[in-house]
Amino acid sequence: MPVPVDELTDDESFPVTPDTNEYEALDFLVRHHQYGFSPREIAARTDINESSVAKTMRHLDEKGLVERSDEIYYVDPVRIDTIRARLTSVDAVVRLFEATPDDDAYAEAGWEEQVPPIDSTGGSETSSSD
């Protein structure tokens, strides 16, 4: 059984990642939380193709992120704020990484190998003393 989103701890990742059909559908349902939508309506109002939307909604239901009643999907009104906050956090992380300059030394693989070791006196082996 999936862990409800409002019970996730800080060290547990949000079960939906950006740039996926699940993320897009959940974001849509949160923004329009006053209503419920059929998979066909969700496909018509998002970029999710109709052949994928039923599977997408089933996954969101299995993860406990949406509710379903007679093939109408919606987000539990009690959980709107929690899910919206988690989506906002995920979006912020994506924007942070997109804004990282390509020439940032820490953005390159293997950067840690270029850092000189620290000797037992607390200085780096490449530092010189006067």
Side-chain angles (χ1 to χ4, degrees):
M1 174 124 198
V3 176
V5 173
D6 45 357
E7 292 179 18
L8 290 174
T9 61
D10 289 339
D11 61 340
E12 294 176 294
S13 63
F14 191 61
V16 175
T17 56
D19 298 325
T20 63
N21 288 345
E22 290 178 2
Y23 185 90
E24 186 171 352
L26 184 60
D27 182 57
F28 171 79
L29 290 175
V30 166
R31 286 185 285 115
H32 303 284
H33 65 272
Q34 310 88 316
Y35 309 102
F37 297 90
S38 70
R40 176 172 275 156
E41 292 170 322
I42 294 168
R45 294 179 174 167
T46 65
D47 290 333
I48 304 169
N49 68 45
E50 210 167 316
S51 63
S52 300
V53 74
K55 180 179 175 183
T56 297
M57 299 314 299
R58 190 171 50 255
H59 286 166
L60 289 172
D61 185 31
E62 290 168 356
K63 292 176 180 181
L65 295 169
V66 298
E67 304 294 322
R68 181 182 70 176
S69 176
D70 296 326
E71 294 306 310
I72 300 297
Y73 292 89
Y74 61 95
V75 176
D76 182 345
V78 173
R79 301 176 69 211
I80 290 295
D81 290 337
T82 301
I83 293 175
R84 182 182 291 129
R86 295 301 290 256
L87 288 172
T88 301
S89 294
V90 169
D91 287 341
V93 169
V94 168
R95 284 191 307 276
L96 176 68
F97 280 100
E98 286 175 349
T100 303
D102 292 337
D103 64 345
D104 183 358
Y106 300 110
E108 296 179 24
W111 66 267
E112 65 279 0
E113 295 171 10
Q114 298 175 21
V115 178
I118 298 175
D119 69 17
S120 61
T121 62
S124 69
E125 291 180 3
T126 60
S127 64
S128 58
S129 57
D130 294 305

